[in-house]
Amino acid sequence: MPQVRIVLVETSHPGNIGSAARAMKTMGFHQLALVAPRQFPHPEATARAAGADDVLEGAKIYATLQEAIADCHLVIGTSARPRKVPWPSLTPRQCAELVKKEGALIKIAIVFGRERCGLTNQELDLCHYWLFIPCNLSFSSLNVAAAVQIVTYELHLASVESPWSVLSDSRLATQAELESFYAHLKQTLEDIGFIHSAKQGPSLMRRLRRLFGRIRLEKKEVDILRGILSCAQNPDRGKNRVQEID
Amino acid sequence: MPQVRIVLVETSHPGNIGSAARAMKTMGFHQLALVAPRQFPHPEATARAAGADDVLEGAKIYATLQEAIADCHLVIGTSARPRKVPWPSLTPRQCAELVKKEGALIKIAIVFGRERCGLTNQELDLCHYWLFIPCNLSFSSLNVAAAVQIVTYELHLASVESPWSVLSDSRLATQAELESFYAHLKQTLEDIGFIHSAKQGPSLMRRLRRLFGRIRLEKKEVDILRGILSCAQNPDRGKNRVQEID
């Protein structure tokens, strides 16, 4: 993880500091800097941190933004509105790419402004880049902790190399196993009287192939389905069978 | 924008409902459904909505998750932890891609669980996909409104990158139609003796829900499958039936 410091400037509500600490920690970030917070520490901050107490306890408090970012090599300031002077700007995703590229060796600060009015122009002047979070332009009032959540989420995503895949390593059925299943299905549909003319079979089977083909059946699922087909072919035998399905 | 409904299940703290409404609105989403909220409406919800009052006022309240998603064609449930049975899973970004692909014509629900314990296995069984938000695995306790913020942020990003496309004009089955199909399937498996003990049913049905959930069944396909089930339940009747399948 790169050394990223989250800097909150003159936060009014201590609950927002707690929520921001929680948001940071869920994404693996721990360095919090507070510039002239109105109330801190505060029970509401602790309550909303919901277990990110270590982030709150480690938070450093500064009188000015200049002091909070003095040792940083890259400073990115969040802004909700375009300013008069054009400035190098980033989306959260571009910010994450930049941090990923540069973050190994340098100290980085990402700065979030006041609840009501964000960062001043003078504070934004201290930043190398401005960061805009894409949002609904007719209601762009993102909560400060929500903004921290989005930015740290993008940083976290960029830091994990490969996408997080949780789906199974179960083996997919081979084409041959699928063909055996389709043959068994067709025979069963004839046995139970669902297909009762040669003319009708092909278009129905085409529909069912389309349907089951979409699933990408696993081998184990083919086994379950064929077990069901066997029971449908011979209900009495099914009733006496011992089954093992986990 | 696609019709995406954000569903919050048994939210304990009204403040979280307000924060979630604000998060939704910042990203351009307005359909909020609440399943058995502990306290709602509530001044804390209104305070935290911070101007998203219209989202709160339009929120619909349901007694059960089933009712909240009955008319939806695609249901995505958020989950913090991997479950025993692997299930088709999405990251928020993959979720946004899917919604973008399918969202123009269908109703989509994204479901968020309780603050303390998320969604139950039974509730997750109702979902076509599970959504995992990548995070710090040693502190994965995302606030529910923060989770809504991340997911709607990804949906918003996908929507501004390029216009929504249309998947197909075949009508997908609604959740209510799928539930009728699952009930019919379970009854049939009992009738033909494939399920022959109460203990065995739930895990088998979970596997079959996972399997059929992956297909994204169309209404017409549900009708065919239910026709097959009826024949399996009563083979003799099937043999005399005249069928019309194109």
Side-chain angles (χ1 to χ4, degrees), chain B:
Chain B
M1 272 295 192
Q3 288 200 55
V4 175
R5 180 180 310 167
I6 300 296
V7 183
L8 305 182
V9 176
E10 290 188 13
T11 312
S12 299
H13 302 294
N16 283 334
I17 298 175
S19 293
R22 178 177 180 179
M24 289 167 59
K25 190 171 176 183
T26 61
M27 295 299 155
F29 295 89
H30 295 83
Q31 286 186 41
L32 176 61
L34 305 172
V35 176
R38 190 182 288 175
Q39 296 174 295
F40 186 82
H42 190 279
E44 183 67 12
T46 309
R48 296 268 285 277
D53 306 70
D54 52 335
V55 175
L56 288 187
E57 280 158 21
K60 292 196 176 134
I61 299 179
Y62 299 89
T64 65
L65 176 57
Q66 283 90 335
E67 293 167 54
I69 60 177
D71 60 337
C72 292
H73 306 87
L74 174 62
V75 181
I76 299 166
T78 55
S79 177
R81 53 190 187 281
R83 310 277 165 151
K84 207 174 171 187
V85 179
W87 203 272
S89 299
L90 302 169
T91 64
R93 198 158 299 169
Q94 291 166 333
C95 171
E97 284 159 14
L98 181 68
V99 168
K100 186 177 179 177
K101 204 170 67 174
E102 306 208 358
L105 286 175
I106 65 174
K107 290 184 178 174
I108 298 169
I110 306 183
V111 186
F112 297 80
R114 299 155 191 82
E115 284 95 336
R116 291 273 163 213
C117 53
L119 296 171
T120 65
N121 284 336
Q122 290 67 38
E123 287 161 348
L124 282 167
D125 284 347
L126 302 175
C127 302
H128 299 99
Y129 290 89
W130 296 350
L131 186 152
F132 293 88
I133 297 179
C135 63
N136 174 6
L137 294 179
S138 62
F139 184 79
S140 60
S141 136
L142 234 79
N143 169 266
V144 60
V148 170
Q149 186 72 73
I150 289 173
V151 172
T152 54
Y153 159 75
E154 286 282 6
L155 293 173
H156 177 78
L157 273 194
S159 79
V160 293
E161 274 163 10
S162 63
W164 302 95
S165 68
V166 177
L167 181 59
S168 121
D169 56 356
S170 329
R171 180 166 92 60
L172 291 177
T174 65
Q175 196 65 18
E177 287 158 354
L178 285 179
E179 288 304 324
S180 300
F181 164 67
Y182 289 131
H184 193 170
L185 176 62
K186 181 161 182 286
Q187 185 58 53
T188 305
L189 295 182
E190 288 169 7
D191 291 352
I192 67 174
F194 190 76
I195 293 179
H196 50 75
S197 75
K199 182 167 166 289
Q200 179 204 15
S203 86
L204 174 66
M205 285 309 299
R206 181 164 301 135
R207 279 198 166 273
L208 290 172
R209 276 174 176 273
R210 167 179 173 248
L211 184 160
F212 284 104
R214 286 217 293 294
I215 320 185
R216 315 295 318 290
L217 286 166
E218 295 169 9
K219 171 66 169 66
K220 193 161 190 176
E221 291 175 330
V222 167
D223 293 343
I224 292 175
L225 291 174
R226 293 196 62 178
I228 293 173
L229 294 176
S230 296
C231 277
Q233 287 177 302
N234 191 346
D236 296 329
R237 200 182 54 185
K239 286 186 173 111
N240 300 319
R241 202 159 58 83
V242 176
Q243 293 169 328
E244 286 173 30
I245 291 161
D246 64 319

Side-chain angles (χ1 to χ4, degrees), chain A residues 163-189:
Chain A
W164 213 53
S165 175
V166 195
L167 192 57
S168 78
D169 55 355
S170 328
R171 179 169 88 61
L172 291 178
T174 63
Q175 199 61 25
E177 286 158 354
L178 285 178
E179 288 304 325
S180 299
F181 164 68
Y182 290 131
H184 193 170
L185 177 62
K186 180 162 183 286
Q187 185 58 52
T188 305
L189 295 182

Side-chain angles (χ1 to χ4, degrees), chain A residues 212-238:
Chain A
F212 285 104
R214 287 217 294 290
I215 322 185
R216 313 294 320 284
L217 286 166
E218 295 168 8
K219 172 67 169 65
K220 194 164 188 174
E221 292 175 330
V222 167
D223 293 343
I224 292 175
L225 291 174
R226 293 196 60 178
I228 294 173
L229 294 177
S230 295
C231 278
Q233 288 178 302
N234 191 346
D236 296 329
R237 199 181 57 184

Side-chain angles (χ1 to χ4, degrees), chain A:
Chain A
M1 274 294 191
Q3 287 199 58
V4 174
R5 179 179 311 166
I6 301 296
V7 183
L8 306 183
V9 176
E10 290 189 13
T11 312
S12 299
H13 300 294
N16 282 334
I17 298 175
S19 293
R22 179 178 181 179
M24 289 167 59
K25 190 172 176 183
T26 60
M27 296 299 155
F29 295 88
H30 296 82
Q31 287 186 42
L32 177 60
L34 305 173
V35 176
R38 189 182 291 175
Q39 296 174 294
F40 186 82
H42 191 279
E44 182 67 13
T46 309
R48 297 268 285 277
D53 307 68
D54 52 334
V55 176
L56 287 187
E57 281 159 22
K60 293 193 176 137
I61 299 179
Y62 299 89
T64 64
L65 177 57
Q66 282 92 332
E67 293 168 56
I69 60 177
D71 61 338
C72 291
H73 306 86
L74 173 63
V75 181
I76 299 165
T78 54
S79 177
R81 52 188 188 282
R83 309 278 165 154
K84 214 171 168 184
V85 180
W87 203 269
S89 297
L90 303 169
T91 65
R93 197 158 299 170
Q94 291 167 333
C95 170
E97 284 158 15
L98 182 68
V99 168
K100 188 177 179 180
K101 205 170 64 176
E102 306 208 356
L105 290 176
I106 64 173
K107 290 185 178 174
I108 298 168
I110 305 182
V111 186
F112 297 81
R114 300 153 190 84
E115 286 96 334
R116 291 274 163 212
C117 53
L119 297 170
T120 65
N121 284 338
Q122 290 69 37
E123 287 161 348
L124 281 167
D125 286 347
L126 302 174
C127 302
H128 300 99
Y129 290 88
W130 294 351
L131 186 153
F132 293 88
I133 298 178
C135 64
N136 174 5
L137 294 179
S138 62
F139 184 79
S140 60
S141 137
L142 235 77
N143 170 266
V144 61
V148 169
Q149 186 73 74
I150 288 174
V151 172
T152 54
Y153 159 76
E154 288 281 7
L155 293 172
H156 176 79
L157 273 195
S159 77
V160 293
E161 278 302 318
S162 52
W164 213 53
S165 175
V166 195
L167 192 57
S168 78
D169 55 355
S170 328
R171 179 169 88 61
L172 291 178
T174 63
Q175 199 61 25
E177 286 158 354
L178 285 178
E179 288 304 325
S180 299
F181 164 68
Y182 290 131
H184 193 170
L185 177 62
K186 180 162 183 286
Q187 185 58 52
T188 305
L189 295 182
E190 289 170 6
D191 291 352
I192 66 174
F194 191 77
I195 293 179
H196 51 76
S197 76
K199 182 167 165 289
Q200 179 203 18
S203 85
L204 175 66
M205 285 309 299
R206 182 165 306 129
R207 276 199 166 270
L208 290 172
R209 277 174 176 272
R210 169 176 170 250
L211 184 161
F212 285 104
R214 287 217 294 290
I215 322 185
R216 313 294 320 284
L217 286 166
E218 295 168 8
K219 172 67 169 65
K220 194 164 188 174
E221 292 175 330
V222 167
D223 293 343
I224 292 175
L225 291 174
R226 293 196 60 178
I228 294 173
L229 294 177
S230 295
C231 278
Q233 288 178 302
N234 191 346
D236 296 329
R237 199 181 57 184
K239 286 188 173 108
N240 300 318
R241 205 159 57 83
V242 177
Q243 291 170 329
E244 288 173 28
I245 291 161
D246 64 321

